Coordinates of all heavy atoms in Angstrom, one line a residue:
L409 N -21.6 10.1 19.1 CA -20.4 9.2 18.6 C -20.0 8.4 19.9 O -19.7 7.1 19.7 CB -19.3 10.1 18.2 CG -19.3 10.5 16.7 CD1 -18.3 11.7 16.5 CD2 -19.1 9.3 15.8
A410 N -19.9 9.0 21.1 CA -19.5 8.2 22.2 C -20.5 7.1 22.5 O -20.1 5.9 22.8 CB -19.5 9.1 23.4
T411 N -21.8 7.4 22.4 CA -22.9 6.4 22.6 C -22.8 5.3 21.5 O -22.9 4.1 21.9 CB -24.2 7.1 22.5 OG1 -24.4 8.1 23.5 CG2 -25.4 6.0 22.8
L412 N -22.5 5.6 20.3 CA -22.3 4.6 19.3 C -21.2 3.6 19.5 O -21.4 2.4 19.4 CB -22.1 5.4 18.0 CG -21.7 4.4 16.7 CD1 -22.9 3.7 16.3 CD2 -21.1 5.3 15.6
F413 N -20.1 4.1 19.9 CA -19.0 3.3 20.2 C -19.1 2.5 21.5 O -18.7 1.3 21.6 CB -17.6 4.0 20.2 CG -17.2 4.4 18.7 CD1 -17.4 5.6 18.2 CD2 -16.5 3.4 18.0 CE1 -17.0 5.9 16.9 CE2 -16.1 3.7 16.7 CZ -16.3 5.0 16.2
E414 N -19.8 3.0 22.5 CA -20.1 2.3 23.7 C -21.1 1.2 23.3 O -21.1 0.1 23.9 CB -20.7 3.3 24.7 CG -21.0 2.6 25.9 CD -20.0 1.9 26.7 OE1 -18.8 2.2 26.5 OE2 -20.3 1.0 27.5
G415 N -22.0 1.5 22.4 CA -23.0 0.4 22.0 C -22.3 -0.7 21.3 O -22.6 -1.9 21.5
Y416 N -21.3 -0.4 20.5 CA -20.5 -1.5 19.8 C -19.8 -2.3 20.9 O -19.7 -3.5 20.8 CB -19.6 -0.9 18.7 CG -18.5 -1.9 18.4 CD1 -18.8 -2.9 17.6 CD2 -17.2 -1.7 18.8 CE1 -17.9 -3.9 17.2 CE2 -16.2 -2.6 18.4 CZ -16.6 -3.8 17.6 OH -15.6 -4.6 17.3
R417 N -19.1 -1.6 21.8 CA -18.2 -2.3 22.8 C -19.2 -3.2 23.6 O -18.7 -4.4 23.9 CB -17.6 -1.3 23.7 CG -16.6 -1.9 24.7 CD -16.2 -0.9 25.7 NE -17.3 -0.5 26.6 CZ -17.7 -1.2 27.6 NH1 -17.2 -2.3 27.9 NH2 -18.8 -0.8 28.3
H418 N -20.3 -2.7 24.1 CA -21.2 -3.6 24.8 C -21.7 -4.8 24.0 O -21.8 -5.9 24.6 CB -22.4 -2.7 25.3 CG -23.4 -3.4 26.2 ND1 -23.1 -3.8 27.4 CD2 -24.7 -3.8 25.9 CE1 -24.1 -4.5 28.0 NE2 -25.1 -4.4 27.1
S419 N -22.1 -4.6 22.8 CA -22.5 -5.7 22.0 C -21.4 -6.8 21.7 O -21.7 -8.0 21.6 CB -23.1 -5.2 20.7 OG -24.2 -4.4 20.9
M420 N -20.2 -6.2 21.6 CA -19.1 -7.1 21.3 C -18.8 -8.0 22.6 O -18.5 -9.1 22.5 CB -17.9 -6.3 21.0 CG -16.6 -7.1 20.7 SD -15.0 -6.1 20.7 CE -14.9 -5.5 22.3
E421 N -18.9 -7.3 23.7 CA -18.7 -8.1 25.0 C -19.8 -9.2 25.2 O -19.5 -10.2 25.9 CB -18.7 -7.2 26.2 CG -17.5 -6.3 26.2 CD -17.5 -5.1 27.3 OE1 -18.6 -5.0 27.9 OE2 -16.5 -4.6 27.7
Q422 N -20.9 -8.9 24.6 CA -22.0 -9.9 24.7 C -21.9 -11.0 23.6 O -22.7 -11.9 23.6 CB -23.4 -9.2 24.5 CG -23.8 -8.3 25.8 CD -25.2 -7.8 25.5 OE1 -25.6 -7.4 24.5 NE2 -25.9 -7.7 26.7
G423 N -21.0 -10.8 22.8 CA -20.7 -11.8 21.7 C -21.5 -11.6 20.4 O -21.6 -12.5 19.6
L424 N -22.3 -10.4 20.3 CA -23.0 -10.2 19.1 C -22.2 -9.8 18.0 O -22.5 -10.1 16.8 CB -24.1 -9.1 19.5 CG -25.1 -9.4 20.5 CD1 -26.0 -8.3 20.8 CD2 -25.9 -10.7 20.1
Y425 N -21.1 -9.0 18.3 CA -20.2 -8.6 17.2 C -18.8 -9.1 17.5 O -18.4 -9.2 18.6 CB -20.1 -7.0 17.1 CG -21.4 -6.4 16.7 CD1 -21.7 -5.2 17.4 CD2 -22.3 -6.9 15.8 CE1 -22.9 -4.5 17.1 CE2 -23.4 -6.2 15.5 CZ -23.7 -5.0 16.1 OH -24.9 -4.3 15.8
P426 N -18.0 -9.4 16.4 CA -16.6 -9.8 16.6 C -15.8 -8.6 17.1 O -16.2 -7.4 16.9 CB -16.2 -10.3 15.3 CG -17.1 -9.6 14.3 CD -18.4 -9.4 15.0
T427 N -14.6 -8.8 17.5 CA -13.7 -7.7 17.7 C -13.3 -7.0 16.5 O -13.3 -7.5 15.4 CB -12.4 -8.3 18.5 OG1 -11.7 -9.2 17.6 CG2 -12.7 -8.9 19.8
F428 N -12.9 -5.7 16.7 CA -12.5 -4.9 15.5 C -11.3 -5.4 14.8 O -10.3 -5.7 15.4 CB -12.3 -3.5 16.0 CG -12.5 -2.4 14.9 CD1 -13.8 -1.8 14.9 CD2 -11.6 -2.1 13.9 CE1 -14.1 -0.9 13.9 CE2 -12.0 -1.2 13.0 CZ -13.2 -0.5 13.0
P429 N -11.4 -5.7 13.5 CA -10.2 -6.3 12.8 C -9.2 -5.3 12.5 O -9.4 -4.1 12.7 CB -10.9 -6.8 11.5 CG -12.0 -5.8 11.3 CD -12.6 -5.5 12.6
P430 N -8.0 -5.7 12.1 CA -7.0 -4.7 11.7 C -7.5 -3.8 10.6 O -8.2 -4.3 9.6 CB -5.8 -5.6 11.2 CG -6.0 -7.0 11.9 CD -7.5 -7.1 12.0
V431 N -7.1 -2.5 10.7 CA -7.6 -1.6 9.7 C -7.1 -2.0 8.3 O -7.9 -1.8 7.3 CB -7.1 -0.1 10.0 CG1 -7.4 0.9 8.9 CG2 -7.6 0.3 11.4
S432 N -6.0 -2.6 8.1 CA -5.4 -3.0 6.8 C -6.3 -4.0 6.2 O -6.3 -4.2 5.0 CB -4.0 -3.5 7.0 OG -4.0 -4.6 7.9
S433 N -7.1 -4.7 7.0 CA -8.0 -5.8 6.4 C -9.4 -5.3 6.0 O -10.2 -6.0 5.4 CB -8.2 -6.9 7.3 OG -9.0 -6.5 8.5
L434 N -9.7 -4.0 6.3 CA -11.0 -3.5 5.9 C -11.2 -3.2 4.5 O -10.3 -2.8 3.8 CB -11.3 -2.1 6.8 CG -11.3 -2.3 8.3 CD1 -11.6 -1.0 9.0 CD2 -12.2 -3.4 8.8
N435 N -12.4 -3.5 4.0 CA -12.8 -3.2 2.6 C -13.4 -1.8 2.5 O -14.6 -1.7 2.6 CB -13.7 -4.3 2.1 CG -14.0 -4.1 0.6 OD1 -13.6 -3.2 -0.1 ND2 -14.9 -4.9 0.1
F436 N -12.6 -0.8 2.1 CA -13.1 0.5 2.1 C -13.9 0.9 0.8 O -14.5 1.9 0.7 CB -12.0 1.6 2.2 CG -11.4 1.6 3.6 CD1 -10.2 1.0 3.9 CD2 -12.1 2.2 4.6 CE1 -9.6 1.0 5.2 CE2 -11.6 2.2 5.9 CZ -10.3 1.7 6.2
S437 N -13.9 -0.1 -0.1 CA -14.8 0.1 -1.3 C -16.3 0.1 -0.9 O -17.2 0.4 -1.6 CB -14.6 -0.9 -2.4 OG -14.9 -2.2 -1.8
L438 N -16.6 -0.4 0.4 CA -17.9 -0.5 0.8 C -18.4 0.9 1.2 O -19.6 1.1 1.5 CB -18.1 -1.4 2.0 CG -17.8 -2.9 1.7 CD1 -17.6 -3.7 2.9 CD2 -18.8 -3.4 0.7
L439 N -17.5 1.9 1.4 CA -17.9 3.3 1.8 C -18.2 4.0 0.5 O -17.4 4.1 -0.4 CB -16.7 3.9 2.6 CG -16.4 3.4 3.9 CD1 -15.3 4.1 4.6 CD2 -17.7 3.5 4.9
Q440 N -19.4 4.6 0.4 CA -19.8 5.3 -0.8 C -20.1 6.8 -0.4 O -20.4 7.6 -1.3 CB -21.1 4.7 -1.3 CG -20.9 3.2 -1.7 CD -19.8 3.0 -2.8 OE1 -19.7 3.9 -3.7 NE2 -19.1 2.0 -2.7
D441 N -19.9 7.2 0.9 CA -20.2 8.6 1.2 C -19.0 9.5 1.4 O -17.9 9.0 1.6 CB -21.1 8.5 2.5 CG -22.4 7.9 2.3 OD1 -22.5 6.6 2.4 OD2 -23.4 8.6 2.0
E442 N -19.2 10.8 1.3 CA -18.1 11.7 1.3 C -17.5 11.8 2.7 O -18.2 11.7 3.7 CB -18.7 13.1 0.9 CG -19.5 13.1 -0.4 CD -21.0 12.6 -0.2 OE1 -21.6 12.8 0.8 OE2 -21.4 11.9 -1.1
M443 N -16.4 12.5 2.7 CA -15.7 13.0 3.8 C -16.0 14.4 4.0 O -16.5 15.1 3.1 CB -14.2 12.7 3.8 CG -13.9 11.2 3.6 SD -12.2 10.8 4.0 CE -12.3 11.1 5.7
C444 N -15.6 15.0 5.2 CA -16.1 16.4 5.5 C -15.2 17.1 6.4 O -14.2 16.5 6.9 CB -17.5 16.4 6.1 SG -17.7 14.9 7.2
K445 N -15.4 18.4 6.7 CA -14.4 19.2 7.5 C -15.1 20.2 8.2 O -16.4 20.5 8.1 CB -13.4 19.8 6.5 CG -14.0 20.7 5.4 CD -12.9 21.2 4.6 CE -13.5 22.0 3.4 NZ -12.5 22.5 2.5
F446 N -14.4 20.9 9.2 CA -14.8 21.9 10.0 C -15.8 21.4 11.1 O -16.6 20.6 10.8 CB -15.4 23.2 9.3 CG -14.5 23.7 8.3 CD1 -14.8 23.9 7.0 CD2 -13.2 24.2 8.7 CE1 -14.0 24.5 6.1 CE2 -12.3 24.7 7.8 CZ -12.7 24.8 6.5
L447 N -15.8 21.9 12.3 CA -16.5 21.3 13.4 C -18.1 21.4 13.2 O -18.7 20.3 13.3 CB -16.2 21.9 14.7 CG -14.7 21.7 15.2 CD1 -14.5 22.3 16.6 CD2 -14.4 20.2 15.3
V448 N -18.6 22.6 12.9 CA -20.1 22.6 12.6 C -20.4 21.8 11.5 O -21.4 21.0 11.5 CB -20.5 24.0 12.6 CG1 -22.0 24.1 12.2 CG2 -20.3 24.8 13.9
Q449 N -19.7 22.0 10.3 CA -20.1 21.3 9.1 C -19.9 19.8 9.3 O -20.7 19.0 8.8 CB -19.2 21.8 7.9 CG -19.6 21.2 6.6 CD -21.0 21.6 6.1 OE1 -21.4 22.8 6.2 NE2 -21.8 20.6 5.8
L450 N -18.8 19.5 10.1 CA -18.5 18.1 10.3 C -19.7 17.4 11.1 O -20.2 16.4 10.8 CB -17.3 17.9 11.1 CG -16.8 16.5 11.6 CD1 -16.6 15.7 10.4 CD2 -15.6 16.7 12.4
S451 N -20.2 18.2 12.1 CA -21.3 17.8 13.0 C -22.5 17.6 12.1 O -23.3 16.6 12.3 CB -21.5 18.6 14.1 OG -20.4 18.7 14.9
M452 N -22.8 18.5 11.2 CA -24.0 18.4 10.4 C -23.9 17.2 9.5 O -24.8 16.5 9.3 CB -24.1 19.7 9.5 CG -24.5 21.0 10.3 SD -24.4 22.5 9.3 CE -25.6 22.2 8.1
D453 N -22.7 17.0 8.8 CA -22.6 15.8 8.0 C -22.7 14.6 8.8 O -23.3 13.6 8.3 CB -21.3 15.9 7.3 CG -21.2 17.0 6.3 OD1 -22.3 17.5 5.8 OD2 -20.0 17.4 5.8
F454 N -22.1 14.5 10.0 CA -22.2 13.3 10.7 C -23.6 13.1 11.2 O -24.1 12.0 11.1 CB -21.3 13.4 12.0 CG -21.7 12.4 13.0 CD1 -21.5 11.0 12.8 CD2 -22.3 12.8 14.3 CE1 -21.9 10.1 13.8 CE2 -22.7 11.9 15.2 CZ -22.5 10.5 14.9
S455 N -24.3 14.1 11.6 CA -25.7 14.0 12.0 C -26.6 13.4 10.9 O -27.5 12.5 11.1 CB -26.3 15.3 12.5 OG -27.6 15.2 12.9
S456 N -26.4 14.0 9.6 CA -27.0 13.5 8.4 C -26.8 12.1 8.1 O -27.6 11.3 7.9 CB -26.7 14.4 7.3 OG -27.3 13.8 6.1
Y457 N -25.4 11.7 8.3 CA -25.0 10.3 8.0 C -25.6 9.3 9.0 O -26.1 8.3 8.7 CB -23.5 10.3 8.1 CG -22.8 9.0 7.7 CD1 -22.6 8.6 6.4 CD2 -22.4 8.1 8.7 CE1 -22.0 7.4 6.1 CE2 -21.8 6.9 8.3 CZ -21.5 6.6 7.0 OH -21.0 5.4 6.8
Y458 N -25.6 9.7 10.3 CA -26.0 8.9 11.3 C -27.5 8.7 11.3 O -28.0 7.5 11.5 CB -25.7 9.6 12.7 CG -26.0 8.8 13.9 CD1 -25.0 7.9 14.5 CD2 -27.2 8.8 14.7 CE1 -25.3 7.2 15.6 CE2 -27.4 8.1 15.8 CZ -26.4 7.3 16.2 OH -26.7 6.5 17.3
N459 N -28.3 9.7 10.8 CA -29.7 9.5 10.7 C -30.1 8.7 9.5 O -31.1 8.1 9.4 CB -30.4 10.9 10.6 CG -30.3 11.6 11.9 OD1 -30.3 11.1 13.0 ND2 -30.4 13.0 11.8
R460 N -29.2 8.7 8.5 CA -29.5 8.0 7.2 C -28.9 6.6 7.1 O -29.5 5.8 6.5 CB -28.9 8.9 6.1 CG -29.2 8.4 4.7 CD -28.9 9.5 3.6 NE -27.6 10.2 3.9 CZ -26.4 9.7 3.4 NH1 -26.4 8.7 2.6 NH2 -25.3 10.4 3.7
I461 N -27.8 6.3 7.8 CA -27.1 5.1 7.7 C -27.2 4.4 9.1 O -26.9 4.9 10.1 CB -25.7 5.3 7.4 CG1 -25.5 6.0 6.0 CG2 -25.0 3.9 7.3 CD1 -26.0 5.3 4.8
H462 N -27.7 3.2 9.1 CA -27.7 2.4 10.3 C -26.4 1.7 10.5 O -26.1 0.8 9.8 CB -28.9 1.2 10.2 CG -29.2 0.7 11.5 ND1 -29.5 1.5 12.5 CD2 -29.4 -0.6 11.8 CE1 -29.9 0.6 13.6 NE2 -29.8 -0.6 13.2
I463 N -25.7 2.2 11.5 CA -24.3 1.8 11.7 C -24.2 0.4 12.3 O -23.6 -0.6 11.7 CB -23.5 2.8 12.5 CG1 -23.7 4.2 12.0 CG2 -22.0 2.4 12.6 CD1 -23.1 4.4 10.7
L464 N -24.8 0.3 13.5 CA -24.7 -1.0 14.2 C -26.0 -1.8 13.9 O -27.0 -1.7 14.6 CB -24.6 -0.8 15.7 CG -23.4 0.0 16.3 CD1 -23.5 0.1 17.7 CD2 -22.2 -0.8 15.8
G465 N -25.9 -2.5 12.8 CA -27.1 -3.4 12.4 C -27.2 -4.7 13.1 O -26.6 -5.0 14.1
A466 N -28.0 -5.5 12.5 CA -28.2 -6.9 13.0 C -26.9 -7.6 13.0 O -26.1 -7.5 12.0 CB -29.3 -7.5 12.2
P467 N -26.6 -8.4 14.0 CA -25.3 -9.2 14.1 C -25.3 -10.3 13.0 O -25.4 -11.5 13.4 CB -25.3 -9.7 15.5 CG -26.7 -9.8 15.9 CD -27.5 -8.7 15.2
R468 N -25.1 -9.9 11.8 CA -25.1 -10.9 10.7 C -23.7 -10.9 10.1 O -23.3 -9.8 9.6 CB -26.2 -10.6 9.6 CG -27.6 -10.8 10.2 CD -28.6 -10.3 9.2 NE -30.0 -10.4 9.8 CZ -31.1 -9.8 9.2 NH1 -31.0 -9.2 8.0 NH2 -32.2 -9.9 9.7
P469 N -23.0 -12.0 10.0 CA -21.6 -12.0 9.5 C -21.4 -11.3 8.2 O -20.4 -10.7 7.9 CB -21.3 -13.4 9.5 CG -22.1 -14.1 10.6 CD -23.5 -13.4 10.5
H470 N -22.3 -11.4 7.2 CA -22.2 -10.9 6.0 C -22.3 -9.3 5.9 O -21.9 -8.7 5.0 CB -23.1 -11.5 4.9 CG -24.6 -11.0 5.1 ND1 -25.3 -11.5 6.1 CD2 -25.3 -10.1 4.4 CE1 -26.6 -10.9 6.1 NE2 -26.5 -10.2 5.1
L471 N -22.7 -8.8 7.0 CA -22.8 -7.4 7.1 C -21.6 -6.7 8.0 O -21.6 -5.5 8.0 CB -24.2 -6.9 7.8 CG -25.4 -7.3 7.0 CD1 -26.6 -6.9 7.8 CD2 -25.4 -6.6 5.7
F472 N -20.8 -7.6 8.6 CA -19.8 -7.0 9.5 C -18.7 -6.2 8.7 O -18.2 -5.2 9.2 CB -19.0 -8.2 10.2 CG -19.9 -8.8 11.2 CD1 -19.6 -10.1 11.7 CD2 -20.9 -8.2 11.8 CE1 -20.4 -10.7 12.7 CE2 -21.8 -8.8 12.8 CZ -21.4 -10.0 13.2
G473 N -18.4 -6.6 7.5 CA -17.4 -5.8 6.7 C -17.9 -4.4 6.5 O -17.0 -3.5 6.8
Q474 N -19.1 -4.2 6.1 CA -19.6 -2.8 5.9 C -19.6 -2.1 7.3 O -19.3 -0.9 7.3 CB -21.0 -2.9 5.3 CG -21.5 -1.5 4.9 CD -22.8 -1.7 4.1 OE1 -23.7 -2.2 4.7 NE2 -22.9 -1.2 2.9
M475 N -20.1 -2.8 8.3 CA -20.2 -2.1 9.6 C -18.9 -1.6 10.1 O -18.7 -0.5 10.6 CB -20.8 -3.1 10.6 CG -20.9 -2.5 12.0 SD -21.4 -3.7 13.3 CE -19.9 -4.6 13.5
F476 N -17.8 -2.5 10.0 CA -16.5 -2.1 10.4 C -15.8 -0.9 9.6 O -15.2 -0.1 10.2 CB -15.5 -3.3 10.4 CG -15.8 -4.3 11.6 CD1 -15.9 -5.6 11.3 CD2 -15.9 -3.9 12.8 CE1 -16.1 -6.6 12.3 CE2 -16.1 -4.8 13.9 CZ -16.2 -6.1 13.6
A477 N -16.1 -1.0 8.3 CA -15.7 0.1 7.5 C -16.3 1.5 7.9 O -15.6 2.5 8.0 CB -16.0 -0.1 6.0

Side-chain angles (χ1 to χ4, degrees):
L409 276 167
T411 302
L412 171 70
F413 283 98
E414 178 59 24
Y416 164 71
R417 186 191 66 79
H418 182 68
S419 296
M420 182 189 67
E421 290 174 350
Q422 290 182 322
L424 298 177
Y425 297 140
T427 57
F428 208 97
V431 175
S432 59
S433 70
L434 298 181
N435 181 5
F436 289 106
S437 65
L438 297 172
L439 292 178
Q440 301 299 325
D441 294 85
E442 308 78 38
M443 302 201 68
C444 38
K445 57 184 178 178
F446 302 125
L447 292 185
V448 172
Q449 187 64 48
L450 177 63
S451 298
M452 292 171 64
D453 288 344
F454 163 67
S455 182
S456 172
Y457 185 82
Y458 187 87
N459 292 333
R460 184 165 46 89
I461 304 295
H462 196 47
I463 310 296
L464 299 180
R468 298 172 182 169
H470 70 283
L471 297 177
F472 287 159
Q474 189 176 58
M475 181 187 76
F476 285 130

